[in-house]
Amino acid sequence: MRASFFTKLLLLFIPIYFLSCASKKDIVYLQDVDTINASNSYSYEPVLKNDDLLSIIVSADDPEVTYMFNIPQIQGNYKVDESQSSIRTYLIDSYGQIEFPVLGKISLAGLTRSEAIKELTQKVKPYITNPTINLRILNYKVSVLGEVIKPGSYTFNSERVTLLEALAIAGDLTIYGKRNNILIIREKNNQKTYNRVDITNSSFVNSEFYYLTQNDVIVVEPNKTRINSSSFGPNVLGIISAASIIISILILLQR
């Protein structure tokens, strides 16, 4: 009689247990990575956008001739401390332009980093022989939301940040994160685009979404297990799974 009761309980919990289990294809990243063709890799270079904060330094054989282009952020008899930068920064405005010393307004939004350097070099050449331009994006930031360990906004020193690196900085996906349908919100040509990426499939490595652009927003959706558990509480399915194992042991002991 008791064994019959435990059997009925087991039959009740076993389907729930297996429904809560995830398969390898739902969890493992880059499952067919061995089939990637390296020759098809996507060539990435950051494109400058409105609201980018830039550091632009002009160099030449004679440093003195570059001073008019490298005007300090703070002029006069001010002490530069840890909270103040001696190098001037340039914010690309809503018109896609910066205000550069001597040269005035220059349109940079929409240009790649190398194209922007070429544009600035050409404009500086009438004043300096063989100038060198060093340009960096200072506010290279991406945001990671949803089913990750540490959601938030992250600023990077590098301008070549991959989707996998951003997820790693955010502590990786939780076990409840939907790995085959990650949303990347990206601004392109002043319009927001909404793009889905499957990181279980290695083909995304050769796509334009492998490398992130500044201000990308990554949203990791919850999987069915997380959605279902939200109706009962986050630990219910785990308790049910543990209960089904205990019942199985009890049945074996009754025999």
Side-chain angles (χ1 to χ4, degrees), residues 228-242:
N228 291 338
S229 67
S230 65
S231 302
F232 306 99
N235 298 319
V236 170
L237 287 179
I239 293 171
I240 291 173
S241 299

Side-chain angles (χ1 to χ4, degrees), residues 30 163-164 197-199 201-207 209-210:
L30 305 173
L163 173 57
L164 295 179
V197 175
D198 179 1
I199 61 173
N201 190 323
S202 61
S203 62
F204 94 93
V205 172
N206 293 330
S207 76
F209 304 110
Y210 180 66

